C-alpha cells in the first residue's frame, strides 16, 4: 500500500482537486484506490455527492476509540464513489470538533496510521485530503503518509503559506524516524499572466530541488468535473489539466531517493 497525503496550510490551492484527479488516474490504471477525506469541510466528500453534514459513518468514527482502532471499523467506513476502483472514506463535519486539539496527545496522532494498517492489503494507493489547518487531522495525515504532495497556487500570497507549511514539516519530521519526502506542486498556473509566471519563478528559486519541474495549469475542465461530480479523467482524459496530473503521477511513482 502506498500512502500519499496532500496538504498545505493555505486554503484553495488545489488540494482536493489534486486528490480526486490523481486518485481517478490511479484507479483508471487498475489500482485499487482509497480516498480519505480528513477535511471537516468535506469538499472531497461533497465532490462525490455525499453530504458531510449527514453521513452515517465517516473518518470521525476512527477517532472515537481514544486512539485505538477496532479491526472491523475501517472497512465499515468505505463507500464506493461510482468511479471503478475508487473508494472513499468520507468526512463528517463532526471532525471539526477534533481540530481544537492542536496537539495530538495520547496516541491520537496515529489513528489514521492504525486504520490504514488494517486496510493494508485491500488497497494499492491511499490518498489523504487534509484541512488547511495545523491540528490533529493534519498531524494524522502527515504521520500516516509515505509521501507528501504540497500544492501551491502560483500567486504571490501563496508563497508565505508555503513557508509556514515547510516549517510545520520540519517540526513533524523531528518526531519521525525518517523525514517525509515531499514534492511542492505549482497549481492554477496561468502562463498568460505575469503574476503567475513570476510566482512560479520565485517558488522554483526558493525551493529548488523539492519543486516539481512542471506546473498544473488552470483548466476549466477540472471545475466542470467537480460540477458533474465525477473524477476529471472520466470527464475528459485528454484535458490539459488531466494530462498535467498524469505527468505529475509519473514523477510521484518514481522511487523516493
Ligand atoms: N488547475 C485548476 N484549474 C481550474 N480550477 C481549479 C484548478 N485546481 C483547482 N481548481 C478550482 O479551484 C477551487 C479550489 O480548489 P480545491 O478545492 O481543490 O482547493 P483546496 O486546496 O482543496 O481548498 P480548501 O483549502 O478549501 O480545501 C475549486 O473550485 C477547484 O475546482
Ligand atoms: Mg480541499
Amino acid at each position: 500500500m502506498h500512502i500519499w497525503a496532500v496538504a498545505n496550510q493555505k486554503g484553495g490551492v488545489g488540494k482536493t482537486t489534486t486528490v480526486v484527479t490523481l486518485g481517478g488516474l490511479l484507479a483508471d490504471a487498475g489500482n485499487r484506490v482509497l480516498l480519505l477525506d480528513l477535511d471537516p469541510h468535506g469538499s472531497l466528500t461533497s465532490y462525490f455527492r455525499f453530504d458531510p453534514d449527514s453521513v452515517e459513518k465517516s473518518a470521525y468514527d476512527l477517532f472515537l476509540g481514544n486512539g485505538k482502532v477496532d479491526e472491523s471499523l475501517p472497512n465499515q467506513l468505505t463507500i464506493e464513489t461510482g468511479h471503478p476502483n475508487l473508494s472513499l472514506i468520507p468526512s463528517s463535519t463532526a471532525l471539526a470538533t477534533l481540530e481544537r486539539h492542536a496537539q495530538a496527545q495520547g496516541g491520537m496522532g496515529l489513528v489514521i496510521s492504525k486504520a490504514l494498517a488494517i486496510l493494508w492489503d485491500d488497497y494499492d494507493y491511499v490518498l489523504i485530503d487534509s484541512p488547511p489547518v495545523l491540528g490533529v487531522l493534519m498531524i494524522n495525515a502527515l504521520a500516516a503518509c509515505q509521501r507528501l504532495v504540497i500544492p501551491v497556487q502560483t500567486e504571490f500570497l501563496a508563497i508565505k503559506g508555503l513557508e509556514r507549511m515547510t516549517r510545520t514539516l520540519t517540526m513533524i519530521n523531528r518526531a519521525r524516524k525518517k523525514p517525509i519526502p515531499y514534492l511542492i506542486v505549482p497549481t492554477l498556473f496561468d502562463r498568460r499572466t505575469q503574476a503567475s509566471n513570476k510566482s512560479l519563478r520565485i517558488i522554483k528559486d526558493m525551493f529548488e530541488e523539492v519543486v516539481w519541474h512542471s506546473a498544473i495549469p488552470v483548466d476549466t475542465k477540472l471545475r466542470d468535473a467537480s460540477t458533474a461530480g465525477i473524477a476529471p479523467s472520466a470527464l475528459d482524459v485528454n484535458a490539459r489539466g488531466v494530462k498535467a496530473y498524469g505527468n505529475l503521477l509519473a514523477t510521484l511513482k518514481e522511487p523516493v531517493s
Side-chain angles (χ1 to χ4, degrees), residues 10-17 39 132 188 216-219 222-223 226:
K10 183 142 180 12
V13 296
K15 295 183 291 294
T16 301
T17 304
D39 185 348
L188 288 149
I216 304 293
V218 170
D219 182 356
L222 295 173
R223 237 169 248 149
S226 96

Side-chain angles (χ1 to χ4, degrees), residues 5-10 13 15 128-131 138 141-142 148-151 165:
V6 178
N8 188 336
Q9 274 158 275
K10 183 142 180 12
V13 296
K15 295 183 291 294
I128 308 176
D129 193 7
S130 55
M138 192 189 282
L142 296 178
L148 171 65
V149 175
I150 307 178
M165 188 64 219

Side-chain angles (χ1 to χ4, degrees), residues 6-8 10 13-15 18 149-153 162 183-187 245:
V6 178
N8 188 336
K10 183 142 180 12
V13 296
K15 295 183 291 294
T18 298
V149 175
I150 307 178
V152 58
Q153 196 174 343
L162 190 52
L183 186 68
I184 293 170
V185 176
T187 57
Y245 274 110

Side-chain angles (χ1 to χ4, degrees), residues 192-210:
R192 293 164 307 178
T193 70
Q194 257 201 354
S196 222
N197 281 292
K198 205 168 163 193
S199 310
L200 183 60
R201 220 169 310 127
I202 295 172
I203 294 166
K204 288 194 167 172
D205 286 348
M206 279 178 81
F207 296 95
E208 294 182 348
E209 72 282 6
V210 288

Side-chain angles (χ1 to χ4, degrees), residues 16-32:
T16 301
T17 304
T18 298
V19 166
V20 85
T21 313
L22 290 178
L25 286 167
L26 282 164
D28 294 344
N31 297 290
R32 299 163 302 166

